[in-house]
Amino acid sequence: VIIRPQQKEAKTRKEMIASLKKGDKIVTAGGLIVEIKKVEENFLTVLLDKENIARMTKDAVSRKYEDEA
């Protein structure tokens, strides 16, 4: 009974990560809001601010960031 909702959530997360593209804003597992600059097979290159770029694994993506404004 518990397995089905977990499978659905895992499928939704996998689809969200697969749909990431350059320019999307995401929230990392650490709570940072960053902009994607490059998408690779297992990694993302992200812009932390105007000057700092970092590389992270796709597993560290928590969710897409939606502006509330």
Side-chain angles (χ1 to χ4, degrees):
V1 177
I2 295 175
I3 294 172
R4 183 68 178 141
Q6 289 174 341
Q7 288 175 339
K8 184 177 179 183
E9 184 177 328
K11 180 181 177 186
T12 303
R13 177 175 167 71
K14 186 176 180 180
E15 290 171 351
M16 182 270 301
I17 289 175
S19 73
L20 294 175
K21 61 189 179 305
K22 181 178 178 177
D24 285 348
K25 288 189 178 181
I26 57 170
V27 179
T28 68
L32 297 173
I33 299 171
V34 297
E35 182 179 339
I36 299 173
K37 287 297 176 187
K38 182 179 178 183
V39 178
E40 300 173 47
E41 186 175 338
N42 295 314
F43 296 94
L44 299 171
T45 301
V46 296
L47 185 64
L48 301 173
D49 59 23
K50 292 181 182 179
E51 300 175 1
N52 297 305
I53 295 174
R55 194 167 179 230
M56 61 182 273
T57 63
K58 287 185 176 181
D59 293 337
V61 175
S62 178
R63 61 184 169 89
K64 282 189 176 180
Y65 178 74
E66 304 295 333
D67 283 328
E68 290 148 13

